[in-house]
Amino acid sequence: VQLQAFGGGLVQVGGSLRLSCAASGRTFSSYVMAWFRQVPDKDREFVAAISWTGRTTTYADSVKGRFAISRDNAKNTMDLQMNSLKPEDTAVYFCAANSRTVSVTPRFYDYWGQGTQVTVSS
């Protein structure tokens, strides 16, 4: 599956952004989907994940209550609604997919989008 993330940008503290990830192929519903983020010189960090059907979601503690992950298997898309943004949310955000398990660990994900920059200014 090929992934493309978009929707990043510059936003002020407390603002909102919605990221989207578009997937190619006809088996999107076979994949667990997730968002990770990365800042320079740091490891890629888990943000949120969603199960094949969308019934199960998992969030990093740092974004719980502020971010919401969702998917539309009919449209082959996954979204991340980000509210109450903080400067520490500034990063490049990546969407990822794997066919095996809902995981917070990057190495379990086989497919990655190219990343989209989110910058939160204070």
Side-chain angles (χ1 to χ4, degrees):
V1 63
Q2 292 185 325
L3 305 175
Q4 184 175 5
F6 53 96
L10 175 65
V11 64
Q12 291 187 333
V13 170
S16 297
L17 274 178
R18 189 175 185 89
L19 304 184
S20 293
C21 179
S24 65
R26 297 177 292 176
T27 58
F28 179 71
S29 60
S30 300
Y31 295 96
V32 170
M33 300 296 297
W35 289 96
F36 289 82
R37 64 189 182 187
Q38 190 169 23
V39 297
D41 300 324
K42 289 194 175 181
D43 292 335
R44 199 160 289 189
E45 176 190 24
F46 171 76
V47 176
I50 189 166
S51 63
W52 302 264
T53 62
R55 290 181 180 176
T56 301
T57 57
T58 302
Y59 296 93
D61 288 343
S62 59
V63 306
K64 203 171 292 184
R66 300 188 297 121
F67 290 11
I69 189 171
S70 61
R71 68 188 295 164
D72 186 334
N73 287 344
K75 296 182 179 179
N76 285 9
T77 59
M78 171 185 64
D79 290 343
L80 184 70
Q81 177 66 42
M82 304 187 296
N83 300 324
S84 303
L85 283 161
K86 304 176 181 180
E88 51 264 43
D89 294 320
T90 295
V92 177
Y93 283 71
F94 298 87
C95 57
N98 88 78
S99 60
R100 296 182 298 278
T101 184
V102 177
S103 175
V104 304
T105 306
R107 67 180 177 87
F108 280 100
Y109 290 84
D110 305 305
Y111 305 97
W112 293 85
Q114 83 287 5
T116 184
Q117 176 71 47
V118 171
T119 302
V120 183
S121 65
S122 56

